[in-house]
Amino acid sequence: MKRYFTTTRYRLHNRKDRRHDVPKLRLTLGDREFETYDWSLGGFRIDDFRERPPVGEKMKVRHMAYDAENSTATNSIAVVTRILIGKNQVAFSFNKLDEPAYELLENASMKRLARLAGK
């Protein structure tokens, strides 16, 4: 019996942390800066990622920001979990998230909730 793993829109998401599209995060992966398509405490997705890194590849996250006043240097590690061919998107999960990065993501999440509440 063959086993299939569905990776399209028909597969239910089994995600612990819900992903958000606002505020956008700016990340420095290696020596390149990217803006996230969406993100959560567990990971993020990058749009217009032209390369196709192999699933499982680890990349160093050196910097994170969600606006000019809220940015931090970080020593976190993200792992490629999925490649969305046709959209040029790559999904990452955090393998190692240091304290400054965690605090920035928590603050971004709170800012998102305040924005949605109209405050």
Side-chain angles (χ1 to χ4, degrees):
M1 182 167 116
K2 292 184 178 182
R3 294 182 185 223
Y4 294 95
F5 185 75
T6 306
T7 59
T8 64
R9 65 180 177 201
Y10 303 109
R11 180 174 175 232
L12 296 175
H13 294 286
N14 191 14
R15 186 172 278 124
K16 184 174 95 173
D17 300 304
R18 187 161 187 263
R19 290 212 173 154
H20 312 292
D21 55 356
V22 291
K24 297 286 185 192
L25 297 178
R26 287 185 312 282
L27 306 167
T28 303
L29 293 174
D31 60 351
R32 295 179 54 200
E33 188 171 311
F34 296 94
E35 185 173 84
T36 58
Y37 177 80
D38 60 13
W39 61 274
S40 74
L41 287 172
F44 56 93
R45 203 167 19 154
I46 294 176
D47 214 2
D48 273 345
F49 198 93
R50 288 176 187 85
E51 294 108 35
R52 295 227 175 118
V55 170
E57 181 177 328
K58 294 181 180 180
M59 300 183 84
K60 185 173 182 177
V61 182
R62 297 182 8 204
H63 187 263
M64 286 185 183
Y66 63 87
D67 62 23
E69 295 85 35
N70 296 287
S71 68
T72 189
T74 180
N75 188 25
S76 298
I77 303 293
V79 177
V80 176
T81 56
R82 211 170 25 141
I83 298 169
L84 288 84
I85 298 171
K87 290 186 176 184
N88 291 329
Q89 291 181 345
V90 178
F92 293 84
S93 66
F94 288 114
N95 181 290
K96 175 188 162 198
L97 191 60
D98 66 5
E99 191 67 30
Y102 181 82
E103 287 179 15
L104 182 115
L105 293 174
E106 278 284 306
N107 290 339
S109 184
M110 295 306 288
K111 181 175 182 159
R112 177 188 161 277
L113 292 174
R115 183 181 293 172
L116 290 174
K119 295 180 181 179

